[in-house]
Amino acid sequence: RDQWRVFANLEWHLRRDLVANLGSMWEHFEKKQPFFSPRLALNYHLDRSNTLRLSASRAYRMPTLFEDFVYQVLFLDGPLDDLNNHRVAIENLDPQRIDSYELGYLGSFPARGLTLDVRLFRERLTDIIDDIRNLNIPNPDRGLTDPEALAVLYAFNQVVHRGAFSYTNSAEASIRGLELDLRFKPTTADLIQL
């Protein structure tokens, strides 16, 4: 799959204690619409050891080639074997999108060997690629060519129609949380991270 990316980052010192970062990326994947991923962050340095940050960003995850183009028929034994798998791509998937917002604090105390990074965040994921069973997809013929065997299989499929799995952009999620990272470096050779 051909892919093109153009990205840039701009850092602007609005004041001695306030730094803005603006980033962007434009991506184009073969057989997909181009999309744009922006990021804006503000870092406010309270002093040399304490920084507050505020950021917002948007990012995408492209469907894999497997999710976009799969045609897989796998039958290991009997028709009701749990390992049997019929998977078919039926649509041109959109990329998953994540919008992320965070408020953070970074404290660095080298004399004590401590670094504290705290992040309060909210993430919204849309167009999540989900694996669903689609009963509108007919059961495969399993490579059978004998007319009598096919007739038995088709009769069986009328009773036990399993359809196929396929991928679709059908899910979304919101995540809110607090992330904490504490690093303690008691000596130059040791590091404890919580």
Side-chain angles (χ1 to χ4, degrees), residues 9-12 14 18-23 38-44 52-57 102:
N9 188 63
L10 174 67
E11 182 173 287
W12 183 14
L14 300 165
L18 185 60
V19 180
N21 291 94
L22 177 63
R39 182 175 188 278
L40 174 64
L42 293 172
N43 292 286
Y44 179 62
L52 296 176
R53 69 179 177 273
L54 178 67
S55 70
S57 65
E102 79 171 59

Side-chain angles (χ1 to χ4, degrees), residues 128-175:
I128 295 174
I129 298 170
D130 201 5
D131 190 11
I132 62 163
R133 184 182 295 272
N134 187 331
L135 294 175
N136 294 323
I137 299 172
N139 291 339
D141 62 16
R142 302 184 190 197
L144 297 174
T145 56
D146 177 46
E148 287 182 25
L150 282 170
V152 170
L153 178 65
Y154 293 148
F156 178 78
N157 286 344
Q158 294 300 317
V159 176
V160 182
H161 178 65
R162 298 180 69 177
F165 286 100
S166 59
Y167 295 100
T168 186
N169 295 103
S170 64
E172 55 185 53
S174 289
I175 303 168

Side-chain angles (χ1 to χ4, degrees), residues 37 80 96:
S37 302
L80 296 177
Q96 295 181 167

Side-chain angles (χ1 to χ4, degrees), residues 70-84:
V70 64
Y71 184 82
Q72 178 186 52
V73 179
L74 175 64
F75 288 95
L76 299 179
D77 195 12
L80 296 177
D81 192 317
D82 287 339
L83 295 177
N84 290 346

Side-chain angles (χ1 to χ4, degrees), residues 6-56:
V6 177
F7 57 91
N9 188 63
L10 174 67
E11 182 173 287
W12 183 14
H13 291 259
L14 300 165
R15 300 185 328 213
R16 281 186 41 197
D17 57 354
L18 185 60
V19 180
N21 291 94
L22 177 63
S24 64
M25 181 166 57
W26 178 85
E27 293 181 89
H28 184 268
F29 284 77
E30 185 177 353
K31 299 185 179 181
K32 302 289 180 189
Q33 292 293 321
F35 52 93
F36 177 69
S37 302
R39 182 175 188 278
L40 174 64
L42 293 172
N43 292 286
Y44 179 62
H45 301 284
L46 300 169
D47 56 36
R48 296 179 128 197
S49 300
N50 299 283
T51 302
L52 296 176
R53 69 179 177 273
L54 178 67
S55 70

Side-chain angles (χ1 to χ4, degrees), residues 110-142:
R112 294 190 174 98
L114 287 173
T115 303
L116 175 63
D117 193 353
V118 180
R119 179 175 89 105
L120 184 64
F121 66 91
R122 179 176 185 265
E123 297 171 342
R124 174 108 174 105
L125 294 90
T126 54
D127 290 326
I128 295 174
I129 298 170
D130 201 5
D131 190 11
I132 62 163
R133 184 182 295 272
N134 187 331
L135 294 175
N136 294 323
I137 299 172
N139 291 339
D141 62 16
R142 302 184 190 197

